[in-house]
Amino acid sequence: MNCLFCKIASHEIPSQIVYEDDDVVAFNDINPVAPHHILIIPREHISTLNDLKEEHKAMTGHILLTAQKLAKELDIAETGYRVVFNCNRGAGQAVFHIHLHLIGGRSLTWPPG
């Protein structure tokens, strides 16, 4: 498979990995929009949120709990952070491997643009 994020997850491509376990990998975004901007991906290749199935419930929950864990470690849990999944090009998805953006470390406005 020629997926950038699969290659990051398998350590074929170097990245600033901040967390990994058997199911997910978290790494710093190369184009951060805030002081803390981490992408959290499943090791399993799933192209978009539209491709999720019932058997992915535990994994998607694990992604969110990983975001919570990292936010606490980064000391942004209490001041606030944003989590974002983009689905397809019209929503800004550029890499077709689902990923959650964990964004924090500055005031965030709404709507996000």
Side-chain angles (χ1 to χ4, degrees), residues 21-42:
D21 62 28
D22 291 342
D23 300 310
V24 301
V25 177
F27 52 94
N28 289 320
D29 193 299
I30 61 169
N31 294 307
V33 298
H36 301 291
H37 188 166
I38 295 170
L39 303 181
I40 305 169
I41 66 168

mmCIF file with all atom_site columns, all heavy atoms in Angstrom, residues 21-42:
data_model
loop_
_atom_site.group_PDB
_atom_site.id
_atom_site.type_symbol
_atom_site.label_atom_id
_atom_site.label_alt_id
_atom_site.label_comp_id
_atom_site.label_asym_id
_atom_site.label_entity_id
_atom_site.label_seq_id
_atom_site.pdbx_PDB_ins_code
_atom_site.Cartn_x
_atom_site.Cartn_y
_atom_site.Cartn_z
_atom_site.occupancy
_atom_site.B_iso_or_equiv
_atom_site.pdbx_formal_charge
_atom_site.auth_seq_id
_atom_site.auth_comp_id
_atom_site.auth_asym_id
_atom_site.auth_atom_id
_atom_site.pdbx_PDB_model_num
ATOM 1   N N   . ASP A 1 21 ? 0.980  2.525  20.363 1.00 0.00 ? 21 ASP A N   1
ATOM 2   C CA  . ASP A 1 21 ? 0.696  1.253  21.006 1.00 0.00 ? 21 ASP A CA  1
ATOM 3   C C   . ASP A 1 21 ? 0.307  0.272  19.902 1.00 0.00 ? 21 ASP A C   1
ATOM 4   O O   . ASP A 1 21 ? 0.546  0.556  18.724 1.00 0.00 ? 21 ASP A O   1
ATOM 5   C CB  . ASP A 1 21 ? -0.361 1.399  22.112 1.00 0.00 ? 21 ASP A CB  1
ATOM 6   C CG  . ASP A 1 21 ? -1.722 1.892  21.631 1.00 0.00 ? 21 ASP A CG  1
ATOM 7   O OD1 . ASP A 1 21 ? -2.084 1.655  20.454 1.00 0.00 ? 21 ASP A OD1 1
ATOM 8   O OD2 . ASP A 1 21 ? -2.435 2.511  22.428 1.00 0.00 ? 21 ASP A OD2 1
ATOM 9   N N   . ASP A 1 22 ? -0.283 -0.825 20.260 1.00 0.00 ? 22 ASP A N   1
ATOM 10  C CA  . ASP A 1 22 ? -0.620 -1.841 19.257 1.00 0.00 ? 22 ASP A CA  1
ATOM 11  C C   . ASP A 1 22 ? -1.668 -1.380 18.252 1.00 0.00 ? 22 ASP A C   1
ATOM 12  O O   . ASP A 1 22 ? -1.740 -1.909 17.145 1.00 0.00 ? 22 ASP A O   1
ATOM 13  C CB  . ASP A 1 22 ? -1.116 -3.120 19.937 1.00 0.00 ? 22 ASP A CB  1
ATOM 14  C CG  . ASP A 1 22 ? -0.023 -3.852 20.684 1.00 0.00 ? 22 ASP A CG  1
ATOM 15  O OD1 . ASP A 1 22 ? 1.174  -3.594 20.416 1.00 0.00 ? 22 ASP A OD1 1
ATOM 16  O OD2 . ASP A 1 22 ? -0.357 -4.692 21.551 1.00 0.00 ? 22 ASP A OD2 1
ATOM 17  N N   . ASP A 1 23 ? -2.480 -0.387 18.627 1.00 0.00 ? 23 ASP A N   1
ATOM 18  C CA  . ASP A 1 23 ? -3.610 0.002  17.791 1.00 0.00 ? 23 ASP A CA  1
ATOM 19  C C   . ASP A 1 23 ? -3.501 1.373  17.128 1.00 0.00 ? 23 ASP A C   1
ATOM 20  O O   . ASP A 1 23 ? -4.090 1.593  16.081 1.00 0.00 ? 23 ASP A O   1
ATOM 21  C CB  . ASP A 1 23 ? -4.893 -0.030 18.627 1.00 0.00 ? 23 ASP A CB  1
ATOM 22  C CG  . ASP A 1 23 ? -5.169 -1.412 19.183 1.00 0.00 ? 23 ASP A CG  1
ATOM 23  O OD1 . ASP A 1 23 ? -5.135 -2.384 18.415 1.00 0.00 ? 23 ASP A OD1 1
ATOM 24  O OD2 . ASP A 1 23 ? -5.407 -1.523 20.409 1.00 0.00 ? 23 ASP A OD2 1
ATOM 25  N N   . VAL A 1 24 ? -2.794 2.309  17.777 1.00 0.00 ? 24 VAL A N   1
ATOM 26  C CA  . VAL A 1 24 ? -2.738 3.673  17.253 1.00 0.00 ? 24 VAL A CA  1
ATOM 27  C C   . VAL A 1 24 ? -1.318 4.221  17.289 1.00 0.00 ? 24 VAL A C   1
ATOM 28  O O   . VAL A 1 24 ? -0.465 3.737  18.038 1.00 0.00 ? 24 VAL A O   1
ATOM 29  C CB  . VAL A 1 24 ? -3.669 4.638  18.026 1.00 0.00 ? 24 VAL A CB  1
ATOM 30  C CG1 . VAL A 1 24 ? -5.108 4.202  17.969 1.00 0.00 ? 24 VAL A CG1 1
ATOM 31  C CG2 . VAL A 1 24 ? -3.208 4.841  19.455 1.00 0.00 ? 24 VAL A CG2 1
ATOM 32  N N   . VAL A 1 25 ? -1.103 5.250  16.471 1.00 0.00 ? 25 VAL A N   1
ATOM 33  C CA  . VAL A 1 25 ? 0.157  5.991  16.454 1.00 0.00 ? 25 VAL A CA  1
ATOM 34  C C   . VAL A 1 25 ? -0.214 7.468  16.466 1.00 0.00 ? 25 VAL A C   1
ATOM 35  O O   . VAL A 1 25 ? -1.137 7.894  15.764 1.00 0.00 ? 25 VAL A O   1
ATOM 36  C CB  . VAL A 1 25 ? 0.994  5.659  15.192 1.00 0.00 ? 25 VAL A CB  1
ATOM 37  C CG1 . VAL A 1 25 ? 2.264  6.488  15.143 1.00 0.00 ? 25 VAL A CG1 1
ATOM 38  C CG2 . VAL A 1 25 ? 1.308  4.180  15.115 1.00 0.00 ? 25 VAL A CG2 1
ATOM 39  N N   . ALA A 1 26 ? 0.499  8.250  17.268 1.00 0.00 ? 26 ALA A N   1
ATOM 40  C CA  . ALA A 1 26 ? 0.279  9.695  17.334 1.00 0.00 ? 26 ALA A CA  1
ATOM 41  C C   . ALA A 1 26 ? 1.593  10.397 17.020 1.00 0.00 ? 26 ALA A C   1
ATOM 42  O O   . ALA A 1 26 ? 2.640  10.029 17.539 1.00 0.00 ? 26 ALA A O   1
ATOM 43  C CB  . ALA A 1 26 ? -0.224 10.087 18.722 1.00 0.00 ? 26 ALA A CB  1
ATOM 44  N N   . PHE A 1 27 ? 1.521  11.400 16.162 1.00 0.00 ? 27 PHE A N   1
ATOM 45  C CA  . PHE A 1 27 ? 2.722  12.121 15.758 1.00 0.00 ? 27 PHE A CA  1
ATOM 46  C C   . PHE A 1 27 ? 2.400  13.579 15.498 1.00 0.00 ? 27 PHE A C   1
ATOM 47  O O   . PHE A 1 27 ? 1.256  13.943 15.239 1.00 0.00 ? 27 PHE A O   1
ATOM 48  C CB  . PHE A 1 27 ? 3.368  11.472 14.528 1.00 0.00 ? 27 PHE A CB  1
ATOM 49  C CG  . PHE A 1 27 ? 2.423  11.258 13.366 1.00 0.00 ? 27 PHE A CG  1
ATOM 50  C CD1 . PHE A 1 27 ? 2.317  12.199 12.357 1.00 0.00 ? 27 PHE A CD1 1
ATOM 51  C CD2 . PHE A 1 27 ? 1.656  10.100 13.281 1.00 0.00 ? 27 PHE A CD2 1
ATOM 52  C CE1 . PHE A 1 27 ? 1.460  12.012 11.286 1.00 0.00 ? 27 PHE A CE1 1
ATOM 53  C CE2 . PHE A 1 27 ? 0.796  9.896  12.213 1.00 0.00 ? 27 PHE A CE2 1
ATOM 54  C CZ  . PHE A 1 27 ? 0.693  10.855 11.218 1.00 0.00 ? 27 PHE A CZ  1
ATOM 55  N N   . ASN A 1 28 ? 3.437  14.409 15.584 1.00 0.00 ? 28 ASN A N   1
ATOM 56  C CA  . ASN A 1 28 ? 3.260  15.843 15.350 1.00 0.00 ? 28 ASN A CA  1
ATOM 57  C C   . ASN A 1 28 ? 2.934  16.117 13.887 1.00 0.00 ? 28 ASN A C   1
ATOM 58  O O   . ASN A 1 28 ? 3.557  15.553 12.983 1.00 0.00 ? 28 ASN A O   1
ATOM 59  C CB  . ASN A 1 28 ? 4.521  16.606 15.755 1.00 0.00 ? 28 ASN A CB  1
ATOM 60  C CG  . ASN A 1 28 ? 4.709  16.642 17.252 1.00 0.00 ? 28 ASN A CG  1
ATOM 61  O OD1 . ASN A 1 28 ? 3.761  16.811 18.005 1.00 0.00 ? 28 ASN A OD1 1
ATOM 62  N ND2 . ASN A 1 28 ? 5.930  16.484 17.708 1.00 0.00 ? 28 ASN A ND2 1
ATOM 63  N N   . ASP A 1 29 ? 1.963  16.995 13.677 1.00 0.00 ? 29 ASP A N   1
ATOM 64  C CA  . ASP A 1 29 ? 1.593  17.415 12.326 1.00 0.00 ? 29 ASP A CA  1
ATOM 65  C C   . ASP A 1 29 ? 2.747  18.222 11.741 1.00 0.00 ? 29 ASP A C   1
ATOM 66  O O   . ASP A 1 29 ? 3.354  19.042 12.443 1.00 0.00 ? 29 ASP A O   1
ATOM 67  C CB  . ASP A 1 29 ? 0.325  18.258 12.389 1.00 0.00 ? 29 ASP A CB  1
ATOM 68  C CG  . ASP A 1 29 ? -0.316 18.479 11.037 1.00 0.00 ? 29 ASP A CG  1
ATOM 69  O OD1 . ASP A 1 29 ? 0.346  19.076 10.149 1.00 0.00 ? 29 ASP A OD1 1
ATOM 70  O OD2 . ASP A 1 29 ? -1.465 18.072 10.851 1.00 0.00 ? 29 ASP A OD2 1
ATOM 71  N N   . ILE A 1 30 ? 3.048  18.012 10.466 1.00 0.00 ? 30 ILE A N   1
ATOM 72  C CA  . ILE A 1 30 ? 4.159  18.748 9.840  1.00 0.00 ? 30 ILE A CA  1
ATOM 73  C C   . ILE A 1 30 ? 3.792  20.201 9.529  1.00 0.00 ? 30 ILE A C   1
ATOM 74  O O   . ILE A 1 30 ? 4.659  21.009 9.272  1.00 0.00 ? 30 ILE A O   1
ATOM 75  C CB  . ILE A 1 30 ? 4.713  18.045 8.582  1.00 0.00 ? 30 ILE A CB  1
ATOM 76  C CG1 . ILE A 1 30 ? 3.642  17.913 7.510  1.00 0.00 ? 30 ILE A CG1 1
ATOM 77  C CG2 . ILE A 1 30 ? 5.322  16.704 8.935  1.00 0.00 ? 30 ILE A CG2 1
ATOM 78  C CD1 . ILE A 1 30 ? 4.190  17.480 6.163  1.00 0.00 ? 30 ILE A CD1 1
ATOM 79  N N   . ASN A 1 31 ? 2.491  20.511 9.537  1.00 0.00 ? 31 ASN A N   1
ATOM 80  C CA  . ASN A 1 31 ? 2.021  21.888 9.325  1.00 0.00 ? 31 ASN A CA  1
ATOM 81  C C   . ASN A 1 31 ? 1.115  22.283 10.484 1.00 0.00 ? 31 ASN A C   1
ATOM 82  O O   . ASN A 1 31 ? -0.090 22.435 10.318 1.00 0.00 ? 31 ASN A O   1
ATOM 83  C CB  . ASN A 1 31 ? 1.265  22.012 7.996  1.00 0.00 ? 31 ASN A CB  1
ATOM 84  C CG  . ASN A 1 31 ? 2.161  21.776 6.818  1.00 0.00 ? 31 ASN A CG  1
ATOM 85  O OD1 . ASN A 1 31 ? 3.205  22.405 6.701  1.00 0.00 ? 31 ASN A OD1 1
ATOM 86  N ND2 . ASN A 1 31 ? 1.780  20.873 5.946  1.00 0.00 ? 31 ASN A ND2 1
ATOM 87  N N   . PRO A 1 32 ? 1.681  22.480 11.666 1.00 0.00 ? 32 PRO A N   1
ATOM 88  C CA  . PRO A 1 32 ? 0.842  22.739 12.839 1.00 0.00 ? 32 PRO A CA  1
ATOM 89  C C   . PRO A 1 32 ? 0.100  24.065 12.756 1.00 0.00 ? 32 PRO A C   1
ATOM 90  O O   . PRO A 1 32 ? 0.620  25.051 12.238 1.00 0.00 ? 32 PRO A O   1
ATOM 91  C CB  . PRO A 1 32 ? 1.843  22.738 13.996 1.00 0.00 ? 32 PRO A CB  1
ATOM 92  C CG  . PRO A 1 32 ? 3.150  23.093 13.379 1.00 0.00 ? 32 PRO A CG  1
ATOM 93  C CD  . PRO A 1 32 ? 3.117  22.513 11.987 1.00 0.00 ? 32 PRO A CD  1
ATOM 94  N N   . VAL A 1 33 ? -1.127 24.060 13.284 1.00 0.00 ? 33 VAL A N   1
ATOM 95  C CA  . VAL A 1 33 ? -1.935 25.284 13.340 1.00 0.00 ? 33 VAL A CA  1
ATOM 96  C C   . VAL A 1 33 ? -2.008 25.839 14.759 1.00 0.00 ? 33 VAL A C   1
ATOM 97  O O   . VAL A 1 33 ? -2.683 26.833 14.995 1.00 0.00 ? 33 VAL A O   1
ATOM 98  C CB  . VAL A 1 33 ? -3.356 25.043 12.780 1.00 0.00 ? 33 VAL A CB  1
ATOM 99  C CG1 . VAL A 1 33 ? -3.300 24.637 11.318 1.00 0.00 ? 33 VAL A CG1 1
ATOM 100 C CG2 . VAL A 1 33 ? -4.110 24.023 13.617 1.00 0.00 ? 33 VAL A CG2 1
ATOM 101 N N   . ALA A 1 34 ? -1.317 25.190 15.676 1.00 0.00 ? 34 ALA A N   1
ATOM 102 C CA  . ALA A 1 34 ? -1.286 25.601 17.079 1.00 0.00 ? 34 ALA A CA  1
ATOM 103 C C   . ALA A 1 34 ? 0.003  25.059 17.687 1.00 0.00 ? 34 ALA A C   1
ATOM 104 O O   . ALA A 1 34 ? 0.661  24.194 17.088 1.00 0.00 ? 34 ALA A O   1
ATOM 105 C CB  . ALA A 1 34 ? -2.507 25.058 17.809 1.00 0.00 ? 34 ALA A CB  1
ATOM 106 N N   . PRO A 1 35 ? 0.364  25.515 18.885 1.00 0.00 ? 35 PRO A N   1
ATOM 107 C CA  . PRO A 1 35 ? 1.569  25.002 19.528 1.00 0.00 ? 35 PRO A CA  1
ATOM 108 C C   . PRO A 1 35 ? 1.577  23.476 19.690 1.00 0.00 ? 35 PRO A C   1
ATOM 109 O O   . PRO A 1 35 ? 2.632  22.856 19.615 1.00 0.00 ? 35 PRO A O   1
ATOM 110 C CB  . PRO A 1 35 ? 1.568  25.705 20.888 1.00 0.00 ? 35 PRO A CB  1
ATOM 111 C CG  . PRO A 1 35 ? 0.865  26.996 20.635 1.00 0.00 ? 35 PRO A CG  1
ATOM 112 C CD  . PRO A 1 35 ? -0.218 26.649 19.647 1.00 0.00 ? 35 PRO A CD  1
ATOM 113 N N   . HIS A 1 36 ? 0.403  22.900 19.896 1.00 0.00 ? 36 HIS A N   1
ATOM 114 C CA  . HIS A 1 36 ? 0.276  21.442 19.945 1.00 0.00 ? 36 HIS A CA  1
ATOM 115 C C   . HIS A 1 36 ? -0.693 21.027 18.845 1.00 0.00 ? 36 HIS A C   1
ATOM 116 O O   . HIS A 1 36 ? -1.861 21.445 18.849 1.00 0.00 ? 36 HIS A O   1
ATOM 117 C CB  . HIS A 1 36 ? -0.235 20.971 21.307 1.00 0.00 ? 36 HIS A CB  1
ATOM 118 C CG  . HIS A 1 36 ? 0.637  21.374 22.435 1.00 0.00 ? 36 HIS A CG  1
ATOM 119 N ND1 . HIS A 1 36 ? 1.895  20.847 22.639 1.00 0.00 ? 36 HIS A ND1 1
ATOM 120 C CD2 . HIS A 1 36 ? 0.437  22.281 23.421 1.00 0.00 ? 36 HIS A CD2 1
ATOM 121 C CE1 . HIS A 1 36 ? 2.427  21.399 23.701 1.00 0.00 ? 36 HIS A CE1 1
ATOM 122 N NE2 . HIS A 1 36 ? 1.572  22.286 24.191 1.00 0.00 ? 36 HIS A NE2 1
ATOM 123 N N   . HIS A 1 37 ? -0.199 20.266 17.891 1.00 0.00 ? 37 HIS A N   1
ATOM 124 C CA  . HIS A 1 37 ? -1.030 19.763 16.792 1.00 0.00 ? 37 HIS A CA  1
ATOM 125 C C   . HIS A 1 37 ? -0.537 18.356 16.480 1.00 0.00 ? 37 HIS A C   1
ATOM 126 O O   . HIS A 1 37 ? 0.487  18.175 15.827 1.00 0.00 ? 37 HIS A O   1
ATOM 127 C CB  . HIS A 1 37 ? -0.930 20.670 15.575 1.00 0.00 ? 37 HIS A CB  1
ATOM 128 C CG  . HIS A 1 37 ? -1.899 20.311 14.487 1.00 0.00 ? 37 HIS A CG  1
ATOM 129 N ND1 . HIS A 1 37 ? -2.154 21.158 13.445 1.00 0.00 ? 37 HIS A ND1 1
ATOM 130 C CD2 . HIS A 1 37 ? -2.668 19.213 14.273 1.00 0.00 ? 37 HIS A CD2 1
ATOM 131 C CE1 . HIS A 1 37 ? -3.030 20.592 12.628 1.00 0.00 ? 37 HIS A CE1 1
ATOM 132 N NE2 . HIS A 1 37 ? -3.351 19.408 13.113 1.00 0.00 ? 37 HIS A NE2 1
ATOM 133 N N   . ILE A 1 38 ? -1.277 17.397 16.985 1.00 0.00 ? 38 ILE A N   1
ATOM 134 C CA  . ILE A 1 38 ? -0.895 15.989 16.868 1.00 0.00 ? 38 ILE A CA  1
ATOM 135 C C   . ILE A 1 38 ? -1.939 15.259 16.050 1.00 0.00 ? 38 ILE A C   1
ATOM 136 O O   . ILE A 1 38 ? -3.148 15.504 16.194 1.00 0.00 ? 38 ILE A O   1
ATOM 137 C CB  . ILE A 1 38 ? -0.778 15.366 18.284 1.00 0.00 ? 38 ILE A CB  1
ATOM 138 C CG1 . ILE A 1 38 ? 0.372  16.031 19.045 1.00 0.00 ? 38 ILE A CG1 1
ATOM 139 C CG2 . ILE A 1 38 ? -0.585 13.851 18.214 1.00 0.00 ? 38 ILE A CG2 1
ATOM 140 C CD1 . ILE A 1 38 ? 0.429  15.677 20.513 1.00 0.00 ? 38 ILE A CD1 1
ATOM 141 N N   . LEU A 1 39 ? -1.489 14.367 15.190 1.00 0.00 ? 39 LEU A N   1
ATOM 142 C CA  . LEU A 1 39 ? -2.389 13.486 14.447 1.00 0.00 ? 39 LEU A CA  1
ATOM 143 C C   . LEU A 1 39 ? -2.379 12.130 15.123 1.00 0.00 ? 39 LEU A C   1
ATOM 144 O O   . LEU A 1 39 ? -1.315 11.594 15.441 1.00 0.00 ? 39 LEU A O   1
ATOM 145 C CB  . LEU A 1 39 ? -1.942 13.348 12.995 1.00 0.00 ? 39 LEU A CB  1
ATOM 146 C CG  . LEU A 1 39 ? -1.830 14.650 12.204 1.00 0.00 ? 39 LEU A CG  1
ATOM 147 C CD1 . LEU A 1 39 ? -1.393 14.362 10.782 1.00 0.00 ? 39 LEU A CD1 1
ATOM 148 C CD2 . LEU A 1 39 ? -3.147 15.407 12.221 1.00 0.00 ? 39 LEU A CD2 1
ATOM 149 N N   . ILE A 1 40 ? -3.553 11.568 15.321 1.00 0.00 ? 40 ILE A N   1
ATOM 150 C CA  . ILE A 1 40 ? -3.691 10.240 15.913 1.00 0.00 ? 40 ILE A CA  1
ATOM 151 C C   . ILE A 1 40 ? -4.365 9.360  14.879 1.00 0.00 ? 40 ILE A C   1
ATOM 152 O O   . ILE A 1 40 ? -5.462 9.673  14.405 1.00 0.00 ? 40 ILE A O   1
ATOM 153 C CB  . ILE A 1 40 ? -4.509 10.277 17.211 1.00 0.00 ? 40 ILE A CB  1
ATOM 154 C CG1 . ILE A 1 40 ? -3.890 11.281 18.198 1.00 0.00 ? 40 ILE A CG1 1
ATOM 155 C CG2 . ILE A 1 40 ? -4.602 8.878  17.828 1.00 0.00 ? 40 ILE A CG2 1
ATOM 156 C CD1 . ILE A 1 40 ? -4.759 11.598 19.396 1.00 0.00 ? 40 ILE A CD1 1
ATOM 157 N N   . ILE A 1 41 ? -3.680 8.279  14.516 1.00 0.00 ? 41 ILE A N   1
ATOM 158 C CA  . ILE A 1 41 ? -4.172 7.399  13.453 1.00 0.00 ? 41 ILE A CA  1
ATOM 159 C C   . ILE A 1 41 ? -4.282 5.965  13.960 1.00 0.00 ? 41 ILE A C   1
ATOM 160 O O   . ILE A 1 41 ? -3.527 5.550  14.833 1.00 0.00 ? 41 ILE A O   1
ATOM 161 C CB  . ILE A 1 41 ? -3.244 7.426  12.215 1.00 0.00 ? 41 ILE A CB  1
ATOM 162 C CG1 . ILE A 1 41 ? -1.875 6.824  12.540 1.00 0.00 ? 41 ILE A CG1 1
ATOM 163 C CG2 . ILE A 1 41 ? -3.105 8.849  11.671 1.00 0.00 ? 41 ILE A CG2 1
ATOM 164 C CD1 . ILE A 1 41 ? -1.006 6.550  11.334 1.00 0.00 ? 41 ILE A CD1 1
ATOM 165 N N   . PRO A 1 42 ? -5.204 5.200  13.377 1.00 0.00 ? 42 PRO A N   1
ATOM 166 C CA  . PRO A 1 42 ? -5.195 3.770  13.669 1.00 0.00 ? 42 PRO A CA  1
ATOM 167 C C   . PRO A 1 42 ? -4.104 3.103  12.833 1.00 0.00 ? 42 PRO A C   1
ATOM 168 O O   . PRO A 1 42 ? -3.762 3.587  11.744 1.00 0.00 ? 42 PRO A O   1
ATOM 169 C CB  . PRO A 1 42 ? -6.585 3.310  13.222 1.00 0.00 ? 42 PRO A CB  1
ATOM 170 C CG  . PRO A 1 42 ? -6.943 4.248  12.116 1.00 0.00 ? 42 PRO A CG  1
ATOM 171 C CD  . PRO A 1 42 ? -6.306 5.575  12.490 1.00 0.00 ? 42 PRO A CD  1
#
